[in-house]
Amino acid sequence: MSKDTLTITDNRTGRTYEIPVEHDTIQAMHLRQIKVNEDDFGMMSYDPAFKNTASTKSTITYIDGDKGILRYRGYPIEQLAEKSNYLEVAYLILYGELPTKEQYDEWEHVIVHHTFVHENITQLMKAFRHDAHPMGMFIATLAAMSTYYPEGRNISDPWIRTKQIHRLIAKLPTVAAFSYRHSRGLPYVYPDNDLSYTGNFLSMLDKMTEVKYKPDPVLERALDVLFILHADHEQNCGTATMRVIGSSHTDPYTAMAGAAAALYGPLHGGANEAVLRMLMEIGDVKNVPEFIKGVKNRERLLMGFGHRVYKNYDPRARIIKQVADEVFEVTGKNPLLAIALELERIALEDDFFVQRNLYPNVDFYSGIIYQAMRFPIAMFPVLFAIPRTIGWLAQWVEMLEDSEQKIARPRQIYLGEGERDFVPMADR
Ligand code: CMC
């Protein structure tokens, strides 16, 4: 008997099956042969919320949740955050290797020269209510972009795919900045292609009457590091959505609108917004013990804590804490930091959190930095979505090129009524 197998005995029939094990995993389809009789559909596995189901093989991002390790294409997140920049990391995530100088220059040039959006998109965004949530504007505009680039539906042409990827990485900061300016009642600022990716984004957010906007180098770098940290995170809710929608061969704009919608929720990328609202509600360090009591009584969640994969400190949260110190040198300390530190201190010592391996995640400190940089809270999920663009797109390409993938279509266990005859309304 091969060592790389799993032997299963079905006690209903007494039959034994040998299931191949590859990469410490069995294929769910191999369970289908396990039947009580010939009419039996065959065994399935049941895994609500995909807690223990691998839906793909991937070479993009590696996470060891127990050890708190995150790597893109093999490179530790700590090294990338220290030594690289967002556009270089985006290239790495998409193509699998760090670019040469020539490749980088060409990549940067292409991105920088696609930052403008069609004037009709600008008009479309102006039609939103004055107080529209920027993430709602972002998602709707992203979906609408599919109507501006209909060739994007030709997803089997690698050249056309690449063109849409350039457009999305380049234009979404512009869409995001317009949604911000809109929510403030400010005129939209057009891109400045002389600036860096994050420098241009800051310019579109902040520029007023100055002829040439000069981003603060510390804030420009801090935002770039935050973008690196958010670039990809393997099969999370938003990325899984991108793959599921993409598996029906829809265009990347529509698929990404779905991914961004999944990210918007407070259990996912909307958690950074929820953390800030929670910290403001707590209001003072002295109220922290009472709040923790409410969490332990199951009245509340401690937002920014816990993770499906990390059962250790999220390595991104560790880096963000360092970046926070640099940002506060420029902006002054965010008074909410003291509350966050006290929440973390108590939670890391408390049995309720220790036993459940609940540690701060990426969203716990990011909002505090964004707020210090004067971003309104509603912009936080948008700031998560911009850098996640490359992760979604790289995973989408990987899915399309994977010959084992087909349209995503889970099974169910039907527990409803058996067949019954229709009863006319008068007889019910
Ligand atoms: N506060 C209090 N209790 C928690 C929390 C929390 N933030 N997170 C998990 N728990 C408890 C949960 O009640 C459960 O307890 P028990 O086993 O006694 O019922 C246990 O810890 C395990 O939690 P779970 O809900 O089974 O874990 P999950 O993997 O389904 O959920 C999560 C992961 C991130 C949705 C969850 O931890 C959570 O809701 N956290 C708060 C929201 C948040 O910060 N989300 C950002 C995630 S990181 C960035 C991203 O993905 O976008």
Side-chain angles (χ1 to χ4, degrees):
M1 190 190 297
S2 158
K3 251 179 65 189
D4 294 324
T5 59
L6 184 75
T7 303
I8 299 179
T9 302
D10 185 348
N11 294 322
R12 299 172 302 174
T13 59
R15 270 188 232 131
T16 294
Y17 303 82
E18 218 180 305
I19 310 273
V21 174
E22 198 189 358
H23 311 298
D24 297 327
T25 307
I26 59 161
Q27 290 199 18
M29 277 308 284
H30 285 150
L31 299 175
R32 196 66 80 71
Q33 60 186 302
I34 305 176
K35 296 180 177 190
V36 175
N37 56 49
E38 266 319 296
D39 296 337
D40 188 352
F41 178 75
M43 180 81 73
M44 294 191 297
S45 59
Y46 176 57
D47 188 12
F50 311 116
K51 284 182 156 184
N52 196 37
T53 293
S55 62
T56 187
K57 294 170 183 161
S58 181
T59 60
I60 300 173
T61 292
Y62 173 78
I63 301 176
D64 183 328
D66 293 329
K67 297 198 181 112
I69 292 173
L70 170 61
R71 298 182 199 133
Y72 299 153
R73 301 284 191 186
Y75 294 100
I77 191 68
E78 293 79 7
Q79 290 184 26
L80 294 170
E82 188 191 333
K83 298 179 177 152
S84 188
N85 66 55
Y86 176 70
L87 277 190
E88 187 179 43
V89 168
Y91 184 101
L92 169 71
I93 288 175
L94 186 62
Y95 294 113
E97 295 297 338
L98 288 166
T100 60
K101 166 99 177 71
E102 208 180 17
Q103 287 167 331
Y104 179 80
D105 289 346
E106 193 189 328
W107 169 248
E108 189 189 34
H109 180 86
V110 171
I111 301 298
V112 161
H113 288 87
H114 282 94
T115 48
F116 277 71
V117 294
H118 194 291
E119 267 307 295
N120 289 161
I121 293 182
T122 313
Q123 298 305 327
L124 184 124
M125 294 189 73
K126 285 186 175 160
F128 280 99
R129 250 180 78 133
H130 69 280
D131 57 354
H133 194 293
M135 192 64 175
M137 290 181 71
F138 182 84
I139 293 167
T141 308
L142 179 49
M145 280 169 78
S146 71
T147 65
Y148 290 82
Y149 307 108
E151 77 271 22
R153 280 150 68 186
N154 189 354
I155 51 115
S156 52
D157 182 328
W159 189 86
I160 291 182
R161 272 199 320 245
T162 304
K163 182 106 186 116
Q164 314 319 309
I165 291 172
H166 292 158
R167 283 182 171 140
L168 279 160
I169 299 171
K171 293 184 198 308
L172 285 181
T174 311
V175 170
F178 285 5
S179 71
Y180 165 81
R181 301 283 296 200
H182 187 87
S183 67
R184 305 236 123 179
L186 293 167
Y188 299 177
V189 174
Y190 285 64
D192 179 343
N193 294 349
D194 293 339
L195 297 173
S196 72
Y197 190 73
T198 40
N200 170 49
F201 182 50
L202 287 171
S203 162
M204 292 188 289
L205 295 168
D206 283 346
K207 190 169 183 293
M208 293 306 288
T209 53
E210 56 273 50
V211 178
K212 185 83 186 165
Y213 177 86
K214 282 205 189 81
D216 182 296
V218 175
L219 302 187
E220 184 182 4
R221 175 66 191 154
L223 198 56
D224 205 63
V225 173
L226 285 158
F227 278 9
I228 292 172
L229 300 181
H230 287 88
D232 191 50
H233 213 233
E234 50 118 308
Q235 308 311 313
N236 55 79
C237 181
T239 304
T241 306
M242 180 82 193
R243 280 179 174 263
V244 168
I245 301 179
S247 78
S248 75
H249 291 181
T250 190
D251 68 87
Y253 302 93
T254 309
M256 254 186 69
L263 186 80
Y264 191 7
L267 297 187
H268 192 8
N272 50 19
E273 180 176 351
V275 168
L276 245 282
R277 296 197 192 284
M278 173 188 79
L279 294 176
M280 289 191 310
E281 187 195 321
I282 296 172
D284 196 291
V285 171
K286 71 175 188 315
N287 301 329
V288 167
E290 192 55 30
F291 183 84
I292 293 276
K293 214 159 104 194
V295 173
K296 289 164 69 176
N297 289 338
R298 311 277 184 172
E299 291 154 21
R300 305 288 302 263
L301 283 177
L302 176 50
M303 300 311 288
F305 259 67
H307 199 275
R308 171 64 58 79
V309 181
Y310 292 119
K311 301 302 167 197
N312 200 326
Y313 214 100
D314 181 335
R316 300 169 298 174
R318 217 183 283 285
I319 298 169
I320 288 181
K321 253 175 120 174
Q322 292 159 12
V323 175
D325 290 335
E326 289 155 30
V327 168
F328 295 153
E329 288 282 317
V330 177
T331 61
K333 232 183 203 139
N334 185 335
L336 297 177
L337 178 68
I339 302 174
L341 288 170
E342 181 63 1
L343 275 172
E344 179 185 332
R345 189 189 69 74
I346 296 187
L348 293 182
E349 284 173 0
D350 190 295
D351 268 358
F352 177 92
F353 299 91
V354 174
Q355 278 167 10
R356 291 172 178 78
N357 292 316
L358 298 173
Y359 291 87
N361 59 49
V362 68
D363 292 313
F364 193 64
Y365 287 106
S366 59
I368 297 178
I369 304 187
Y370 293 145
Q371 198 188 43
M373 290 171 82
R374 291 187 293 115
F375 284 108
I377 297 174
M379 268 302 278
F380 295 0
V382 179
L383 294 168
F384 196 147
I386 297 169
R388 186 51 61 85
T389 301
I390 191 58
W392 287 329
L393 291 168
Q395 301 264 355
W396 171 70
V397 171
E398 188 175 62
M399 182 269 303
L400 291 176
E401 291 181 346
D402 181 346
S403 60
E404 289 185 341
Q405 293 293 336
K406 289 179 177 294
I407 185 167
R409 205 306 183 184
R411 293 280 177 175
Q412 65 165 6
I413 303 169
Y414 177 70
L415 298 176
E417 301 285 349
E419 186 181 350
R420 47 183 177 163
D421 287 328
F422 180 79
V423 182
M425 200 175 275
D427 299 339
R428 285 175 214 159

